[in-house]
């Protein structure tokens, strides 16, 4: 069953290795071709060597190629997987630092909020380039699997404007289910059945059953509040559970920046944030984590290469959706998962054009979504606020309309709870100027934005954020890891 799988952004070494390993766990896929492409020759060489070592060690007929020529990698591909970050950490740093000057305190900043919206403006032109190449040189009917954030905006653009068969994939639902299974004392997540629906990073466990027994709000609240770790790390998430009646898939830090209530007052943020790990709400937490670990593969590459020489263990296949979708489409073995697709009536109380994340089944006939879902009204209202922002942001990215972009940012829930219209207009000008090299659709607007900034009237502040850690150097991180390893 030989066919070609192209991976764009394959220089994300750890994630690409996981995806490829999962795919090779399927016996029918032992002779696939992995076509890797990235803008980094160095990273491409590393991941090519790792996959080649894995293939040779397991005596598989699979093949691996690596090239910086994206169209060459996509030629004849039946599946295309994207895990790119346009602008890298340089642009991402501005997504966090510039909004902070206007009082907008983000933990991640890659989905909505000021950072996520500008991230989408960088990604969408590139996503459309991918789609053009897929239409022109990939196999007829090729499926595009998007892992890149901002998930909803990227997938929306690929479907509506890229005209490519696209599904967005995320692992937030799986992680949320693992937490719930743990607090309920389940032996494994396999004992838990659930329906989780909404939009990416705002998905809600609207039906939960443990070994067939329905789990209600009160039992779930008690289970989380009684957990020695999650009761401290997920305070905001538990508060939302109490008020909405259902649990959200997203971490404390992620969820906090999609809502207008918890991060708008500096003195209040500490009530809801846990600093034991970045994901629980630290200001710019994911940026700090990414900077501190940006070159981890340089020191860990020999270990990765060594582990690639070991037999593939199919029992350790991950719960990432990609390999399971491919297996279902190619073999007919049915797979149930949660997928990002255009709504078209699947969720009754969300707009038809929205990109939703909801349950579906995959077989040879494709991805078949479970329809007739109605979200609790509070969940739908929260999702609607983000959907309206996403729609404006996508249309702004396509048209290069900086005024529409500013309106999208203005209507973001957290931004609107913190900043005035004058502050938003100036902040967006500053972000567009800072990221101009990655925003070709706004080239015509950059000079005017610079001129407005030269006469800026809104005062900004020097503010590191309400829950901030110092960014440590890579050498400090390595020394700490070495000390921990030595201590056992």
């Amino acid at each position: 069953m030989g066919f070609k799988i192209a991976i764009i952004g394959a220089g994300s070494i750890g994630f690409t290795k996981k995806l490829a390993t999962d795919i090779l766990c399927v016996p029918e896929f032992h002779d696939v071709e992995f076509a890797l492409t990235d803008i980094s020759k160095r990273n491409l060489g590393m991941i090519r060597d790792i996959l080649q070592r894995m293939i040779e060690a397991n005596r598989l007929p699979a093949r691996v190629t690596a090239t910086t020529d994206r169209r060459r990698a996509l030629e004849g591909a039946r599946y295309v997987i994207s895990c790119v970050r346009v602008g890298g950490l340089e642009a991402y740093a501005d997504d966090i630092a510039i909004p902070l000057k206007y009082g907008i305190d983000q933990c991640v900043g890659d989905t909505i909020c000021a950072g996520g919206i500008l991230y989408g403006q960088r990604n969408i032109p590139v996503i459309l380039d991918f789609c053009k190449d897929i239409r022109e040189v990939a196999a007829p009917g090729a499926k595009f699997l998007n892992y890149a954030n901002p998930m909803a905006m990227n997938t929306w653009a690929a479907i509506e404007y890229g005209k490519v068969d696209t599904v967005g994939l995320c692992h937030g639902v799986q992680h949320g289910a693992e937490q719930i299974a743990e607090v309920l004392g389940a032996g494994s997540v396999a004992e838990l059945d659930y329906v989780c629906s909404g939009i990416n990073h705002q998905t809600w466990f609207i039906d939960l059953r443990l070994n067939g027994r329905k789990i209600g709000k009160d039992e779930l609240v008690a289970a989380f509040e009684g957990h020695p770790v999650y009761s401290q790390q997920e305070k905001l998430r538990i508060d939302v559970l109490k008020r909405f009646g259902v649990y959200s898939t997203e971490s404390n830090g992620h969820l906090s920046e999609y809502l207008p209530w918890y991060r708008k007052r500096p003195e209040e943020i500490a009530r809801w944030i846990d600093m034991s790990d970045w994901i629980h709400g630290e200001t710019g937490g994911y940026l700090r984590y990414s900077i501190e670990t940006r070159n981890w593969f340089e020191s860990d590459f020999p270990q990765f290469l060594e582990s690639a020489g070991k037999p593939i263990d199919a029992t350790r296949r991950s719960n990432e959706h990609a390999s399971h979708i491919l297996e279902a489409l190619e073999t007919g073995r049915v797979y149930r998962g949660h997928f990002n697709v255009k709504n078209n009536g699947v969720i009754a109380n969300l707009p038809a054009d929205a990109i939703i994340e909801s349950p579906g089944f995959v077989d040879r006939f494709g991805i078949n979504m479970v329809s007739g879902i109605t979200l609790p009204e509070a969940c739908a209202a929260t999702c609607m606020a983000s959907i309206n922002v996403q729609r404006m942001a996508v249309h702004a990215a396509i048209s290069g309309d900086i005024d529409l972009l500013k309106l999208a940012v203005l209507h973001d829930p957290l931004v609107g709870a913190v900043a005035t219209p004058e502050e938003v207009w100036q902040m967006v000008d500053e972000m567009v100027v800072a990221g101009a090299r990655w925003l070709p659709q706004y080239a015509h607007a950059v000079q005017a934005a610079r001129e407005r900034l030269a006469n800026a009237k809104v005062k900004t502040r020097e503010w590191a954020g309400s829950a901030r850690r110092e960014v440590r150097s890579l050498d400090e991180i390595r020394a700490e890891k070495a000390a921990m390893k030595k201590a056992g």
Side-chain angles (χ1 to χ4, degrees), residues 294-306:
R294 68 184 301 174
N295 295 320
W296 63 267
F297 49 82
E298 292 183 352
S299 57
D300 292 357
F301 176 69
Q303 297 175 5
F304 260 55
L305 199 59
E306 181 182 356

Side-chain angles (χ1 to χ4, degrees), residues 87 90-91 94 122 432-440 446:
E90 182 179 357
D94 287 331
R122 298 194 299 273
V432 167
V433 168
R437 79 186 84 166
W438 300 291
L439 299 170
V446 171

Side-chain angles (χ1 to χ4, degrees), residues 7 13 81 110 118 134 139 149 165 175 194 205 207 220 239 247 263 273 286 296 337 353 376 386 419 434 444 465:
I7 303 178
I13 293 173
I81 302 174
D110 72 353
L118 268 293
I134 292 169
N149 284 320
D165 181 10
H175 290 174
Y194 52 90
F205 288 93
D207 196 342
L220 195 58
D239 191 65
Y247 196 59
R263 297 189 78 97
I273 300 309
Y286 189 53
W296 63 267
D353 63 338
S386 292
H444 66 282

Side-chain angles (χ1 to χ4, degrees), residues 257-287:
E257 61 189 358
Y258 308 146
L259 305 172
W261 312 303
Y262 298 97
R263 297 189 78 97
K264 66 180 180 179
R265 296 177 188 159
E267 67 275 12
E268 283 285 305
I269 293 176
R271 286 184 57 200
W272 303 106
I273 300 309
D274 180 90
M275 294 293 286
S276 62
D277 199 359
W278 70 265
I279 201 168
H280 308 308
E282 175 190 346
T283 300
Y286 189 53
L287 174 63

Side-chain angles (χ1 to χ4, degrees), residues 402-414:
I402 194 170
D403 292 324
L404 183 57
L405 172 60
K406 290 173 179 178
L407 286 168
V409 177
L410 180 69
H411 282 83
D412 177 85
L414 181 57

